[in-house]
Amino acid sequence: MINKLKEYNAFYMNNNSYGKEEYPEVFKYTDRKSKLILSAPHATKSFVSKKEKPADLYTGAIVEYVGKKTETSTLIRSKYVNEKVLISDYVTNKGLEKHFFVDVHGFDKDIEYDVCLGICEYETKGYPYLEDIIAIVQKYNLKTIVNYPGYTGKSGFTRRYQEQFGKPNIIQMELKRYLRDFYQNPEIVEKTTIPMMIDVANCYKK
């Protein structure tokens, strides 16, 4: 598993995390005809708020691996371009708005939580699949919270999806770095992160 993750990661880490410049599109979409799409909008560096944003390291490889393991469609940033290119625009242009999304990000902030879930302005009660994902995260003895300040999804794909399509079919999922880093923490990634993400993907098959 770890070697395969490293193999996938080489694509996104290419050229100091600028990704594959020769790749034809900014986003790499793999359609597996699933209800859910796993996304990683910052798998490489990106252009946000008129400046370069660092990559959410290892998110692209994790999403790619879990997508293949669970036959779940994936949408991953493949390269940096010096202009604002939004994943929400890609979703609109490709007509993917009927899907559910788990939008995978990474954070390094030293807080007590391991996984931060963002649903923007919506109420937690009745939010699609939110309780399922909370239960899955807790099953792996990880601490989670919904809408932790700074990780609510208000400034990203989650808000734009909700506003544009008027439905709550997206959850931003922020993973703490130790859960993503399969170079420094291969055992944690193999025994906790990947099984957890596989469970998350599979819960959308209910």
Short mmCIF file of all heavy atoms in Angstrom, two decimals, residues 67-130:
data_model
loop_
_atom_site.label_atom_id
_atom_site.label_comp_id
_atom_site.label_asym_id
_atom_site.label_seq_id
_atom_site.Cartn_x
_atom_site.Cartn_y
_atom_site.Cartn_z
N GLY A 67 -10.02 5.95 -4.13
CA GLY A 67 -10.93 5.88 -5.27
C GLY A 67 -10.81 4.56 -6.02
O GLY A 67 -11.82 3.92 -6.36
N LYS A 68 -9.59 4.13 -6.26
CA LYS A 68 -9.38 2.88 -6.98
C LYS A 68 -9.82 1.68 -6.15
O LYS A 68 -10.42 0.74 -6.68
CB LYS A 68 -7.90 2.74 -7.37
CG LYS A 68 -7.50 3.67 -8.50
CD LYS A 68 -6.07 3.44 -8.96
CE LYS A 68 -5.72 4.37 -10.13
NZ LYS A 68 -4.32 4.16 -10.61
N LYS A 69 -9.55 1.72 -4.86
CA LYS A 69 -9.90 0.60 -3.99
C LYS A 69 -11.41 0.43 -3.85
O LYS A 69 -11.91 -0.69 -3.69
CB LYS A 69 -9.29 0.80 -2.60
CG LYS A 69 -7.84 0.40 -2.48
CD LYS A 69 -7.69 -1.11 -2.59
CE LYS A 69 -6.26 -1.55 -2.42
NZ LYS A 69 -6.10 -3.02 -2.57
N THR A 70 -12.14 1.52 -3.88
CA THR A 70 -13.59 1.47 -3.63
C THR A 70 -14.43 1.69 -4.87
O THR A 70 -15.65 1.75 -4.78
CB THR A 70 -13.97 2.53 -2.58
OG1 THR A 70 -13.64 3.84 -3.08
CG2 THR A 70 -13.26 2.30 -1.26
N GLU A 71 -13.77 1.82 -6.02
CA GLU A 71 -14.48 2.12 -7.28
C GLU A 71 -15.30 3.40 -7.16
O GLU A 71 -16.45 3.47 -7.60
CB GLU A 71 -15.38 0.94 -7.68
CG GLU A 71 -14.62 -0.25 -8.23
CD GLU A 71 -13.84 0.10 -9.51
OE1 GLU A 71 -14.45 0.63 -10.46
OE2 GLU A 71 -12.62 -0.14 -9.55
N THR A 72 -14.68 4.42 -6.55
CA THR A 72 -15.31 5.73 -6.38
C THR A 72 -14.66 6.72 -7.34
O THR A 72 -13.43 6.74 -7.48
CB THR A 72 -15.14 6.22 -4.93
OG1 THR A 72 -15.74 5.28 -4.04
CG2 THR A 72 -15.78 7.58 -4.73
N SER A 73 -15.47 7.55 -7.97
CA SER A 73 -14.94 8.57 -8.88
C SER A 73 -14.08 9.57 -8.11
O SER A 73 -14.34 9.85 -6.93
CB SER A 73 -16.09 9.31 -9.56
OG SER A 73 -16.89 8.42 -10.32
N THR A 74 -13.08 10.12 -8.77
CA THR A 74 -12.18 11.07 -8.12
C THR A 74 -11.96 12.30 -9.01
O THR A 74 -12.01 12.21 -10.24
CB THR A 74 -10.81 10.43 -7.81
OG1 THR A 74 -10.25 9.88 -9.02
CG2 THR A 74 -10.94 9.34 -6.76
N LEU A 75 -11.72 13.42 -8.34
CA LEU A 75 -11.45 14.69 -9.03
C LEU A 75 -10.31 15.37 -8.29
O LEU A 75 -10.48 15.82 -7.15
CB LEU A 75 -12.71 15.56 -9.02
CG LEU A 75 -12.62 16.94 -9.68
CD1 LEU A 75 -12.16 16.84 -11.13
CD2 LEU A 75 -13.97 17.64 -9.61
N ILE A 76 -9.14 15.42 -8.92
CA ILE A 76 -7.91 15.82 -8.24
C ILE A 76 -7.16 16.87 -9.06
O ILE A 76 -6.99 16.72 -10.27
CB ILE A 76 -6.98 14.60 -8.02
CG1 ILE A 76 -7.75 13.45 -7.36
CG2 ILE A 76 -5.77 14.98 -7.18
CD1 ILE A 76 -6.98 12.14 -7.30
N ARG A 77 -6.69 17.92 -8.38
CA ARG A 77 -5.88 18.91 -9.08
C ARG A 77 -4.58 18.26 -9.53
O ARG A 77 -3.88 17.62 -8.75
CB ARG A 77 -5.57 20.10 -8.16
CG ARG A 77 -4.81 21.23 -8.88
CD ARG A 77 -4.56 22.42 -7.96
NE ARG A 77 -5.79 23.12 -7.62
CZ ARG A 77 -6.31 24.13 -8.32
NH1 ARG A 77 -5.71 24.54 -9.43
NH2 ARG A 77 -7.43 24.71 -7.93
N SER A 78 -4.25 18.47 -10.80
CA SER A 78 -3.10 17.79 -11.39
C SER A 78 -1.88 18.68 -11.54
O SER A 78 -0.76 18.19 -11.69
CB SER A 78 -3.47 17.22 -12.76
OG SER A 78 -3.76 18.27 -13.67
N LYS A 79 -2.11 20.03 -11.55
CA LYS A 79 -0.97 20.91 -11.77
C LYS A 79 -1.31 22.35 -11.35
O LYS A 79 -2.47 22.72 -11.24
CB LYS A 79 -0.57 20.90 -13.25
CG LYS A 79 -1.64 21.43 -14.21
CD LYS A 79 -1.15 21.38 -15.65
CE LYS A 79 -2.20 21.91 -16.62
NZ LYS A 79 -1.75 21.84 -18.03
N TYR A 80 -0.26 23.11 -11.15
CA TYR A 80 -0.38 24.53 -10.84
C TYR A 80 -0.47 25.34 -12.13
O TYR A 80 0.24 25.06 -13.10
CB TYR A 80 0.83 24.99 -10.04
CG TYR A 80 0.90 26.49 -9.81
CD1 TYR A 80 0.28 27.06 -8.71
CD2 TYR A 80 1.60 27.31 -10.69
CE1 TYR A 80 0.35 28.44 -8.49
CE2 TYR A 80 1.68 28.68 -10.48
CZ TYR A 80 1.05 29.23 -9.38
OH TYR A 80 1.12 30.59 -9.17
N VAL A 81 -1.35 26.32 -12.14
CA VAL A 81 -1.37 27.32 -13.20
C VAL A 81 -1.46 28.69 -12.54
O VAL A 81 -2.04 28.85 -11.47
CB VAL A 81 -2.54 27.12 -14.19
CG1 VAL A 81 -2.33 25.88 -15.05
CG2 VAL A 81 -3.88 27.04 -13.46
N ASN A 82 -0.87 29.68 -13.19
CA ASN A 82 -0.76 31.01 -12.59
C ASN A 82 -2.04 31.83 -12.82
O ASN A 82 -2.00 32.95 -13.33
CB ASN A 82 0.46 31.75 -13.16
CG ASN A 82 0.80 32.97 -12.35
OD1 ASN A 82 0.56 33.03 -11.14
ND2 ASN A 82 1.33 33.99 -13.00
N GLU A 83 -3.15 31.23 -12.48
CA GLU A 83 -4.45 31.90 -12.56
C GLU A 83 -5.43 31.13 -11.69
O GLU A 83 -5.18 29.97 -11.32
CB GLU A 83 -4.96 31.96 -14.00
CG GLU A 83 -5.17 30.60 -14.64
CD GLU A 83 -5.67 30.71 -16.06
OE1 GLU A 83 -6.62 31.48 -16.28
OE2 GLU A 83 -5.12 30.01 -16.94
N LYS A 84 -6.52 31.77 -11.37
CA LYS A 84 -7.52 31.16 -10.50
C LYS A 84 -8.36 30.17 -11.30
O LYS A 84 -9.12 30.54 -12.20
CB LYS A 84 -8.42 32.25 -9.90
CG LYS A 84 -9.35 31.78 -8.81
CD LYS A 84 -10.09 32.96 -8.22
CE LYS A 84 -10.99 32.55 -7.06
NZ LYS A 84 -11.69 33.72 -6.47
N VAL A 85 -8.22 28.90 -10.98
CA VAL A 85 -9.00 27.85 -11.63
C VAL A 85 -9.70 27.07 -10.52
O VAL A 85 -9.04 26.39 -9.72
CB VAL A 85 -8.11 26.91 -12.47
CG1 VAL A 85 -8.96 25.82 -13.12
CG2 VAL A 85 -7.36 27.70 -13.53
N LEU A 86 -11.02 27.17 -10.45
CA LEU A 86 -11.79 26.61 -9.34
C LEU A 86 -12.35 25.25 -9.67
O LEU A 86 -12.85 25.02 -10.78
CB LEU A 86 -12.93 27.56 -8.97
CG LEU A 86 -12.54 28.97 -8.51
CD1 LEU A 86 -13.78 29.82 -8.30
CD2 LEU A 86 -11.71 28.90 -7.23
N ILE A 87 -12.32 24.37 -8.69
CA ILE A 87 -12.90 23.05 -8.87
C ILE A 87 -14.40 23.14 -9.08
O ILE A 87 -14.99 22.35 -9.80
CB ILE A 87 -12.54 22.14 -7.66
CG1 ILE A 87 -12.93 20.69 -7.96
CG2 ILE A 87 -13.17 22.64 -6.39
CD1 ILE A 87 -12.43 19.71 -6.92
N SER A 88 -15.04 24.14 -8.46
CA SER A 88 -16.49 24.31 -8.63
C SER A 88 -16.85 24.63 -10.08
O SER A 88 -17.89 24.18 -10.58
CB SER A 88 -17.01 25.41 -7.70
OG SER A 88 -16.28 26.60 -7.87
N ASP A 89 -16.01 25.38 -10.76
CA ASP A 89 -16.25 25.68 -12.17
C ASP A 89 -16.13 24.40 -13.02
O ASP A 89 -16.90 24.20 -13.96
CB ASP A 89 -15.27 26.73 -12.68
CG ASP A 89 -15.52 28.10 -12.06
OD1 ASP A 89 -16.64 28.34 -11.59
OD2 ASP A 89 -14.58 28.92 -12.04
N TYR A 90 -15.16 23.58 -12.67
CA TYR A 90 -14.99 22.31 -13.39
C TYR A 90 -16.24 21.44 -13.22
O TYR A 90 -16.74 20.85 -14.19
CB TYR A 90 -13.75 21.57 -12.88
CG TYR A 90 -13.44 20.30 -13.64
CD1 TYR A 90 -12.53 20.31 -14.69
CD2 TYR A 90 -14.07 19.10 -13.32
CE1 TYR A 90 -12.25 19.15 -15.41
CE2 TYR A 90 -13.80 17.94 -14.03
CZ TYR A 90 -12.89 17.97 -15.06
OH TYR A 90 -12.62 16.82 -15.77
N VAL A 91 -16.73 21.38 -11.99
CA VAL A 91 -17.93 20.58 -11.70
C VAL A 91 -19.11 21.08 -12.53
O VAL A 91 -19.87 20.29 -13.10
CB VAL A 91 -18.24 20.62 -10.19
CG1 VAL A 91 -19.64 20.07 -9.90
CG2 VAL A 91 -17.19 19.84 -9.41
N THR A 92 -19.26 22.39 -12.60
CA THR A 92 -20.35 22.98 -13.39
C THR A 92 -20.19 22.67 -14.87
O THR A 92 -21.14 22.23 -15.54
CB THR A 92 -20.40 24.50 -13.20
OG1 THR A 92 -20.59 24.80 -11.81
CG2 THR A 92 -21.52 25.12 -14.00
N ASN A 93 -19.00 22.89 -15.39
CA ASN A 93 -18.76 22.70 -16.83
C ASN A 93 -18.93 21.25 -17.27
O ASN A 93 -19.34 20.98 -18.40
CB ASN A 93 -17.35 23.18 -17.19
CG ASN A 93 -17.20 24.68 -17.04
OD1 ASN A 93 -18.18 25.42 -17.08
ND2 ASN A 93 -15.98 25.15 -16.83
N LYS A 94 -18.61 20.32 -16.37
CA LYS A 94 -18.71 18.90 -16.71
C LYS A 94 -20.06 18.30 -16.30
O LYS A 94 -20.30 17.10 -16.51
CB LYS A 94 -17.58 18.12 -16.03
CG LYS A 94 -16.18 18.52 -16.48
CD LYS A 94 -15.93 18.17 -17.95
CE LYS A 94 -14.50 18.51 -18.35
NZ LYS A 94 -14.23 18.19 -19.77
N GLY A 95 -20.93 19.10 -15.68
CA GLY A 95 -22.25 18.61 -15.29
C GLY A 95 -22.22 17.58 -14.19
O GLY A 95 -22.98 16.60 -14.22
N LEU A 96 -21.37 17.78 -13.19
CA LEU A 96 -21.19 16.80 -12.12
C LEU A 96 -21.95 17.15 -10.84
O LEU A 96 -21.78 16.50 -9.83
CB LEU A 96 -19.70 16.67 -11.79
CG LEU A 96 -18.77 16.28 -12.96
CD1 LEU A 96 -17.32 16.27 -12.50
CD2 LEU A 96 -19.17 14.93 -13.53
N GLU A 97 -22.80 18.16 -10.92
CA GLU A 97 -23.42 18.69 -9.71
C GLU A 97 -24.41 17.74 -9.05
O GLU A 97 -24.80 17.93 -7.89
CB GLU A 97 -24.12 20.02 -10.01
CG GLU A 97 -25.28 19.93 -10.97
CD GLU A 97 -24.88 20.04 -12.43
OE1 GLU A 97 -23.67 20.03 -12.72
OE2 GLU A 97 -25.79 20.12 -13.27
N LYS A 98 -24.83 16.68 -9.73
CA LYS A 98 -25.77 15.72 -9.12
C LYS A 98 -25.08 14.76 -8.17
O LYS A 98 -25.74 14.03 -7.43
CB LYS A 98 -26.50 14.94 -10.21
CG LYS A 98 -27.46 15.80 -11.04
CD LYS A 98 -28.19 14.98 -12.09
CE LYS A 98 -29.15 15.85 -12.89
NZ LYS A 98 -29.87 15.08 -13.93
N HIS A 99 -23.77 14.76 -8.18
CA HIS A 99 -23.01 13.86 -7.30
C HIS A 99 -22.91 14.43 -5.88
O HIS A 99 -23.06 15.63 -5.65
CB HIS A 99 -21.60 13.66 -7.85
CG HIS A 99 -21.55 12.88 -9.12
ND1 HIS A 99 -21.43 11.52 -9.16
CD2 HIS A 99 -21.61 13.28 -10.41
CE1 HIS A 99 -21.42 11.11 -10.41
NE2 HIS A 99 -21.53 12.16 -11.20
N PHE A 100 -22.61 13.53 -4.94
CA PHE A 100 -22.16 13.93 -3.62
C PHE A 100 -20.64 14.09 -3.68
O PHE A 100 -19.97 13.44 -4.48
CB PHE A 100 -22.53 12.88 -2.57
CG PHE A 100 -24.00 12.83 -2.24
CD1 PHE A 100 -24.89 12.13 -3.05
CD2 PHE A 100 -24.49 13.50 -1.12
CE1 PHE A 100 -26.23 12.09 -2.75
CE2 PHE A 100 -25.84 13.46 -0.81
CZ PHE A 100 -26.71 12.77 -1.62
N PHE A 101 -20.11 14.93 -2.78
CA PHE A 101 -18.67 15.17 -2.74
C PHE A 101 -18.15 15.07 -1.31
O PHE A 101 -18.77 15.60 -0.38
CB PHE A 101 -18.32 16.56 -3.28
CG PHE A 101 -18.46 16.71 -4.76
CD1 PHE A 101 -19.70 17.02 -5.33
CD2 PHE A 101 -17.38 16.52 -5.60
CE1 PHE A 101 -19.85 17.14 -6.70
CE2 PHE A 101 -17.52 16.64 -6.98
CZ PHE A 101 -18.76 16.96 -7.53
N VAL A 102 -17.02 14.39 -1.15
CA VAL A 102 -16.19 14.52 0.05
C VAL A 102 -14.92 15.19 -0.43
O VAL A 102 -14.15 14.61 -1.22
CB VAL A 102 -15.90 13.17 0.72
CG1 VAL A 102 -14.87 13.35 1.84
CG2 VAL A 102 -17.18 12.59 1.32
N ASP A 103 -14.72 16.43 0.01
CA ASP A 103 -13.64 17.29 -0.49
C ASP A 103 -12.48 17.23 0.51
O ASP A 103 -12.56 17.80 1.60
CB ASP A 103 -14.18 18.71 -0.64
CG ASP A 103 -13.28 19.60 -1.45
OD1 ASP A 103 -12.75 19.13 -2.48
OD2 ASP A 103 -13.12 20.78 -1.07
N VAL A 104 -11.41 16.54 0.13
CA VAL A 104 -10.33 16.22 1.08
C VAL A 104 -9.25 17.30 1.06
O VAL A 104 -8.71 17.64 0.01
CB VAL A 104 -9.74 14.84 0.74
CG1 VAL A 104 -8.62 14.50 1.74
CG2 VAL A 104 -10.84 13.77 0.77
N HIS A 105 -8.95 17.79 2.24
CA HIS A 105 -7.92 18.81 2.45
C HIS A 105 -6.98 18.34 3.55
O HIS A 105 -7.20 17.31 4.18
CB HIS A 105 -8.54 20.14 2.87
CG HIS A 105 -9.40 20.77 1.82
ND1 HIS A 105 -9.05 21.93 1.16
CD2 HIS A 105 -10.61 20.41 1.31
CE1 HIS A 105 -9.99 22.26 0.31
NE2 HIS A 105 -10.96 21.35 0.37
N GLY A 106 -5.95 19.15 3.82
CA GLY A 106 -5.03 18.84 4.91
C GLY A 106 -4.72 20.08 5.72
O GLY A 106 -4.68 21.19 5.19
N PHE A 107 -4.53 19.90 7.04
CA PHE A 107 -4.14 21.03 7.88
C PHE A 107 -2.96 20.65 8.76
O PHE A 107 -2.77 19.48 9.09
CB PHE A 107 -5.33 21.53 8.70
CG PHE A 107 -5.76 20.65 9.85
CD1 PHE A 107 -5.28 20.87 11.13
CD2 PHE A 107 -6.65 19.60 9.65
CE1 PHE A 107 -5.69 20.07 12.19
CE2 PHE A 107 -7.06 18.80 10.70
CZ PHE A 107 -6.57 19.04 11.98
N ASP A 108 -2.19 21.67 9.13
CA ASP A 108 -1.01 21.49 9.97
C ASP A 108 -1.14 22.17 11.33
O ASP A 108 -0.26 22.05 12.18
CB ASP A 108 0.24 22.04 9.27
CG ASP A 108 0.55 21.31 7.96
OD1 ASP A 108 0.16 20.13 7.83
OD2 ASP A 108 1.16 21.92 7.08
N LYS A 109 -2.23 22.90 11.52
CA LYS A 109 -2.42 23.67 12.75
C LYS A 109 -2.43 22.75 13.96
O LYS A 109 -3.01 21.66 13.93
CB LYS A 109 -3.73 24.45 12.67
CG LYS A 109 -3.92 25.48 13.76
CD LYS A 109 -5.18 26.31 13.49
CE LYS A 109 -5.36 27.39 14.54
NZ LYS A 109 -6.58 28.21 14.27
N ASP A 110 -1.81 23.19 15.05
CA ASP A 110 -1.72 22.40 16.27
C ASP A 110 -2.99 22.59 17.10
O ASP A 110 -3.07 23.46 17.97
CB ASP A 110 -0.49 22.80 17.07
CG ASP A 110 -0.28 21.91 18.29
OD1 ASP A 110 -0.88 20.82 18.32
OD2 ASP A 110 0.45 22.33 19.22
N ILE A 111 -4.00 21.79 16.80
CA ILE A 111 -5.25 21.81 17.56
C ILE A 111 -5.53 20.40 18.06
O ILE A 111 -4.86 19.44 17.68
CB ILE A 111 -6.43 22.32 16.70
CG1 ILE A 111 -6.64 21.43 15.47
CG2 ILE A 111 -6.20 23.76 16.28
CD1 ILE A 111 -7.85 21.79 14.65
N GLU A 112 -6.52 20.27 18.92
CA GLU A 112 -6.77 18.98 19.57
C GLU A 112 -7.48 17.98 18.67
O GLU A 112 -7.62 16.81 19.04
CB GLU A 112 -7.60 19.18 20.84
CG GLU A 112 -8.97 19.79 20.61
CD GLU A 112 -9.76 19.98 21.90
OE1 GLU A 112 -9.95 18.98 22.61
OE2 GLU A 112 -10.15 21.12 22.18
N TYR A 113 -7.93 18.42 17.50
CA TYR A 113 -8.70 17.54 16.63
C TYR A 113 -7.83 16.94 15.52
O TYR A 113 -6.86 17.54 15.07
CB TYR A 113 -9.87 18.32 16.02
CG TYR A 113 -10.80 18.85 17.08
CD1 TYR A 113 -10.75 20.19 17.46
CD2 TYR A 113 -11.70 18.02 17.73
CE1 TYR A 113 -11.58 20.69 18.45
CE2 TYR A 113 -12.54 18.50 18.72
CZ TYR A 113 -12.47 19.84 19.07
OH TYR A 113 -13.29 20.31 20.06
N ASP A 114 -8.22 15.74 15.09
CA ASP A 114 -7.51 15.04 14.03
C ASP A 114 -8.16 15.23 12.67
O ASP A 114 -7.48 15.26 11.64
CB ASP A 114 -7.47 13.54 14.35
CG ASP A 114 -6.89 13.24 15.71
OD1 ASP A 114 -5.69 13.50 15.90
OD2 ASP A 114 -7.64 12.77 16.59
N VAL A 115 -9.48 15.33 12.68
CA VAL A 115 -10.26 15.47 11.45
C VAL A 115 -11.29 16.58 11.66
O VAL A 115 -12.09 16.52 12.59
CB VAL A 115 -10.99 14.16 11.09
CG1 VAL A 115 -11.81 14.34 9.82
CG2 VAL A 115 -9.99 13.02 10.91
N CYS A 116 -11.25 17.58 10.79
CA CYS A 116 -12.21 18.68 10.85
C CYS A 116 -13.16 18.58 9.66
O CYS A 116 -12.71 18.56 8.51
CB CYS A 116 -11.50 20.03 10.84
SG CYS A 116 -10.45 20.33 12.28
N LEU A 117 -14.45 18.53 9.95
CA LEU A 117 -15.46 18.42 8.91
C LEU A 117 -16.14 19.77 8.72
O LEU A 117 -16.54 20.40 9.70
CB LEU A 117 -16.49 17.36 9.28
CG LEU A 117 -15.93 15.96 9.55
CD1 LEU A 117 -17.02 15.04 10.08
CD2 LEU A 117 -15.29 15.37 8.30
N GLY A 118 -16.28 20.20 7.48
CA GLY A 118 -16.89 21.50 7.19
C GLY A 118 -18.15 21.36 6.36
O GLY A 118 -18.15 20.67 5.34
N ILE A 119 -19.21 22.03 6.81
CA ILE A 119 -20.47 22.03 6.05
C ILE A 119 -20.98 23.45 5.85
O ILE A 119 -22.14 23.66 5.50
CB ILE A 119 -21.54 21.16 6.73
CG1 ILE A 119 -21.86 21.67 8.14
CG2 ILE A 119 -21.11 19.69 6.75
CD1 ILE A 119 -23.06 20.98 8.79
N CYS A 120 -20.12 24.42 6.10
CA CYS A 120 -20.43 25.83 5.86
C CYS A 120 -21.61 26.30 6.70
O CYS A 120 -21.62 26.11 7.91
CB CYS A 120 -20.64 26.06 4.37
SG CYS A 120 -20.32 27.75 3.84
N GLU A 121 -22.63 26.88 6.09
CA GLU A 121 -23.72 27.50 6.83
C GLU A 121 -24.87 26.56 7.20
O GLU A 121 -25.79 26.95 7.90
CB GLU A 121 -24.29 28.69 6.02
CG GLU A 121 -23.27 29.74 5.65
CD GLU A 121 -22.79 30.56 6.84
OE1 GLU A 121 -23.36 30.41 7.93
OE2 GLU A 121 -21.85 31.35 6.67
N TYR A 122 -24.84 25.35 6.72
CA TYR A 122 -25.94 24.43 6.96
C TYR A 122 -25.95 23.92 8.40
O TYR A 122 -24.91 23.87 9.07
CB TYR A 122 -25.87 23.24 6.01
CG TYR A 122 -26.47 23.48 4.64
CD1 TYR A 122 -25.79 24.24 3.69
CD2 TYR A 122 -27.71 22.95 4.29
CE1 TYR A 122 -26.34 24.45 2.43
CE2 TYR A 122 -28.26 23.17 3.03
CZ TYR A 122 -27.57 23.91 2.12
OH TYR A 122 -28.10 24.13 0.87
N GLU A 123 -27.11 23.49 8.87
CA GLU A 123 -27.24 22.87 10.18
C GLU A 123 -26.72 21.43 10.12
O GLU A 123 -26.84 20.76 9.09
CB GLU A 123 -28.71 22.86 10.63
CG GLU A 123 -29.31 24.24 10.84
CD GLU A 123 -28.69 24.96 12.04
OE1 GLU A 123 -28.31 24.27 13.01
OE2 GLU A 123 -28.59 26.19 11.99
N THR A 124 -26.19 20.97 11.24
CA THR A 124 -25.67 19.59 11.27
C THR A 124 -26.79 18.56 11.22
O THR A 124 -26.65 17.49 10.62
CB THR A 124 -24.83 19.36 12.53
OG1 THR A 124 -25.62 19.65 13.69
CG2 THR A 124 -23.60 20.26 12.54
N LYS A 125 -27.92 18.88 11.83
CA LYS A 125 -29.03 17.93 11.90
C LYS A 125 -29.57 17.64 10.50
O LYS A 125 -29.95 18.53 9.76
CB LYS A 125 -30.15 18.48 12.78
CG LYS A 125 -31.29 17.50 13.00
CD LYS A 125 -32.34 18.07 13.93
CE LYS A 125 -33.48 17.07 14.15
NZ LYS A 125 -34.52 17.61 15.06
N GLY A 126 -29.56 16.36 10.16
CA GLY A 126 -30.10 15.95 8.87
C GLY A 126 -29.18 16.16 7.70
O GLY A 126 -29.56 15.89 6.55
N TYR A 127 -27.95 16.63 7.94
CA TYR A 127 -27.03 16.88 6.83
C TYR A 127 -26.60 15.52 6.25
O TYR A 127 -26.14 14.65 6.99
CB TYR A 127 -25.81 17.66 7.31
CG TYR A 127 -25.02 18.31 6.19
CD1 TYR A 127 -25.26 19.62 5.80
CD2 TYR A 127 -24.04 17.59 5.50
CE1 TYR A 127 -24.55 20.21 4.77
CE2 TYR A 127 -23.33 18.17 4.46
CZ TYR A 127 -23.59 19.48 4.11
OH TYR A 127 -22.89 20.06 3.07
N PRO A 128 -26.72 15.33 4.94
CA PRO A 128 -26.48 14.02 4.33
C PRO A 128 -25.10 13.43 4.65
O PRO A 128 -24.08 14.07 4.42
CB PRO A 128 -26.62 14.30 2.83
CG PRO A 128 -27.48 15.51 2.74
CD PRO A 128 -27.13 16.34 3.94
N TYR A 129 -25.11 12.25 5.23
CA TYR A 129 -23.93 11.44 5.50
C TYR A 129 -23.01 12.01 6.59
O TYR A 129 -21.99 11.39 6.91
CB TYR A 129 -23.12 11.17 4.23
CG TYR A 129 -23.88 10.35 3.22
CD1 TYR A 129 -24.54 10.96 2.15
CD2 TYR A 129 -23.98 8.97 3.35
CE1 TYR A 129 -25.27 10.21 1.24
CE2 TYR A 129 -24.70 8.21 2.44
CZ TYR A 129 -25.34 8.83 1.38
OH TYR A 129 -26.06 8.09 0.48
N LEU A 130 -23.35 13.13 7.17
CA LEU A 130 -22.47 13.73 8.18
C LEU A 130 -22.34 12.83 9.40
O LEU A 130 -21.23 12.58 9.89
CB LEU A 130 -22.98 15.11 8.58
CG LEU A 130 -22.14 15.85 9.64
CD1 LEU A 130 -20.73 16.11 9.11
CD2 LEU A 130 -22.82 17.17 10.02
#
